[in-house]
Amino acid sequence: MAITKTTEIGKVEVVGQYKAVQVRTDTVIKEDGTELSRKYHRHVLHPNMDISGEDAEVQAVCNAVWTDDVKAAWNTFLENEKT
């Protein structure tokens, strides 16, 4: 009887005007290859965030959608929120 616990990227979504990247991480518990449970955790990434600690797949999506124009628009939005 082998019980394993793995973490995997379940879903990556790009949403909104500023291309926020939503990441769902799945924690999967299996016994002898049969899934017993699955737990979800979500977090959101914005264009001004450090993504160096993210999974390579997530980094690739961020780098593809966060163009210089998107980053500039996000920074402008943040500046306008301060005032």
Side-chain angles (χ1 to χ4, degrees):
M1 172 167 54
I3 295 179
T4 60
K5 177 181 176 180
T6 59
T7 302
E8 56 193 51
I9 300 298
K11 188 180 284 191
V12 179
E13 299 174 303
V14 178
V15 296
Q17 176 182 357
Y18 304 110
K19 309 298 186 212
V21 177
Q22 298 180 0
V23 182
R24 187 187 82 196
T25 305
D26 300 0
T27 302
V28 183
I29 307 292
K30 292 182 180 180
E31 181 178 357
D32 296 329
T34 301
E35 186 174 316
L36 300 176
S37 72
R38 181 176 292 257
K39 191 174 187 179
Y40 304 113
H41 172 78
R42 294 179 186 272
H43 66 281
V44 178
L45 303 168
H46 296 285
N48 64 334
M49 297 177 81
D50 176 17
I51 59 169
S52 62
E54 296 294 329
D55 183 84
E57 177 185 0
V58 175
Q59 288 183 27
V61 171
C62 292
N63 289 329
V65 299
W66 292 348
T67 63
D68 290 339
D69 289 342
V70 169
K71 289 178 184 179
W74 176 248
N75 288 330
T76 300
F77 170 77
L78 290 177
E79 287 298 317
N80 289 339
E81 285 294 300
K82 289 180 185 177
T83 58

